[in-house]
Amino acid sequence: MKTTARHPARKKSETRSFAEEAAVPARAQPRSLPAFEIDRMAAEPYYAQLAAHLEAGVHEGLYGPGERLPSESELCTRFDLSRATVRQTLQTLEARGVVQRIAGRGAFVAPGGMVQGWMIQGRQGFLETALGHGHLDVTTRVLHSGRAILSEMICGLLEIPEGSEGFELVRVRALRGIPALYSINYSPPDVIGVLEQGDAVLQGRSSLSALLGESGYALQGAHRSIVAVSAPRNIASRLDVRTGSPLLRVRSVSWRRDGKRFDVYEAWVRSDLIPLEVDVSAI
C-alpha cells in the first residue's frame, strides 16, 4: 500500500502570505549587556549601581533612542537582584529622563538620552532649571513655612543680629513622583512680609526665586558650596532613601545689587536623580 507523507497542518494564525510576512516589522531585541557585576560590599545601593551601569550604556551608544532595555525579569536574573530593586532602578532612570516606561512593554531609551540637571551656578532656582529642561512633572510639597528664630549660623550668613526672627520654608521636590531634593530656605526679617503674602509659593505652586525677584530682591550674586554628605535619618525619610545614603548638600547665600543678603538655603540632593551642572567658559 502506497503512503503519502503529509506535513502537519499549519494553524490558521501561523499561515501568512509572503506579502503579510514582509509587512510584519522585525521585533527589536535588547542588546546583551557588557560585563558588569554588582558590588555587594559597596555602600552604594544596588539599584544605584545598576542605574549607573545602564545609563552609561545609553551614553556610550549601546542603547539608542527608542530602543528597549532588558526587561525586569532579565535584569533580575542577570544581576541576581530582586524585582523591587530592579523596579527602583528603572524608576530612577525614568525620573532622570533617561528612559520612558510603557506599561506592559518595558523601558525604552528616551529621545536624546542625556540627563540634564540643576545648573548650580545660574541665577535660576531648581524649579526654573527643571522646567527649562522640559521636566513638566516636577512637584513641590511644602512641609513647613512660617516665622522662626534663626540660628546663630544663619544670622551670621544673612549678616543680621543674632537671635533675629526670620522666615523658614521647608520643601521636598519630586521628579515623576520620586523625591529628589529636600530644601530649607531662611529669609531675614524684612522679607517676612513678602513671603507671608506669597500664597502660591507657600502652597508649592510657584517659584520662590520669581516671587523674590518681583518684590525687589532680584539676585545679583550668590556664593554656593557643595559637599558630599551621608543622609541623616530625618532627611533620608523625606527622600525615600536609607539613612547614610550618599547625598550632595548645597548651601547658598544670595544678595541683591546693593549687597543686602536676602536668602540662605540648604538643599540635600539625590544626585542619582538630579545631576548638578556647571558651565565653564574661557575668560
Side-chain angles (χ1 to χ4, degrees):
M1 180 176 178
K2 185 177 180 181
T3 59
T4 302
R6 293 187 178 183
H7 295 287
R10 297 181 68 185
K11 295 179 181 178
K12 186 175 181 180
S13 60
E14 295 175 342
T15 305
R16 289 178 178 160
S17 67
F18 177 81
E20 289 173 327
E21 293 285 356
V24 177
R27 180 174 295 176
Q29 297 296 327
R31 304 181 190 180
S32 57
L33 292 165
F36 170 77
E37 297 296 334
I38 297 293
D39 185 349
R40 311 281 170 176
M41 303 300 292
E44 185 179 20
Y46 296 165
Y47 82 88
Q49 294 184 46
L50 181 55
H53 173 61
L54 293 175
E55 186 176 340
V58 171
H59 296 333
E60 292 168 6
L62 180 63
Y63 303 105
E67 285 194 57
R68 182 171 72 86
L69 266 62
S71 67
E72 287 185 9
S73 59
E74 290 171 325
L75 292 172
C76 289
T77 301
R78 168 64 181 83
F79 297 104
D80 192 21
L81 296 172
S82 69
R83 188 170 291 272
T85 297
V86 169
R87 193 162 292 157
Q88 189 173 9
T89 294
L90 298 177
Q91 288 174 342
T92 298
L93 293 174
E94 184 178 36
R96 294 189 64 174
V98 177
V99 304
Q100 296 173 335
R101 292 193 300 162
I102 302 175
R105 294 184 57 195
F108 297 80
V109 178
M114 292 297 290
V115 179
Q116 293 178 303
W118 182 7
M119 189 62 69
I120 196 64
Q121 93 274 25
R123 290 175 174 267
Q124 296 180 321
F126 167 72
L127 180 61
E128 294 88 348
T129 300
L131 294 178
H133 286 337
H135 291 297
L136 302 181
D137 46 6
V138 176
T139 56
T140 300
R141 183 159 60 102
V142 177
L143 304 179
H144 168 74
S145 64
R147 298 184 180 221
I149 301 301
L150 302 179
S151 69
E152 180 180 355
M153 181 191 74
I154 298 301
C155 288
L157 292 174
L158 288 171
E159 298 181 341
I160 58 177
E162 184 179 339
S164 294
E165 182 182 49
F167 196 93
E168 285 187 3
L169 178 61
V170 184
R171 298 172 291 179
V172 171
R173 263 61 183 279
L175 291 177
R176 296 180 175 88
I178 301 178
L181 182 150
Y182 175 92
S183 65
I184 308 176
N185 287 79
Y186 304 94
S187 302
D190 52 338
V191 183
I192 292 177
V194 172
L195 296 179
E196 289 182 333
Q197 298 300 314
D199 291 342
V201 172
L202 301 184
Q203 294 169 11
R205 296 185 288 105
S206 187
S207 162
L208 174 60
S209 300
L211 173 65
L212 292 173
E214 295 165 359
S215 304
Y217 294 92
L219 178 68
Q220 174 63 28
H223 175 77
R224 290 169 184 160
S225 61
I226 305 171
V227 180
V229 298
S230 298
R233 184 186 303 273
N234 64 319
I235 293 176
S237 65
R238 297 296 187 181
L239 293 178
D240 195 22
V241 297
R242 294 179 181 178
T243 299
S245 295
L247 300 175
L248 293 179
R249 189 196 67 201
V250 181
R251 179 175 292 159
S252 174
V253 182
S254 301
W255 55 86
R256 62 186 187 184
R257 185 176 295 275
D258 61 4
K260 179 171 180 56
R261 300 186 175 195
F262 62 86
D263 180 61
V264 169
Y265 73 73
E266 291 185 293
W268 288 261
V269 183
R270 284 185 56 176
S271 59
D272 59 324
L273 297 177
I274 307 174
L276 300 186
E277 297 181 351
V278 177
D279 277 342
V280 178
S281 60
I283 300 176

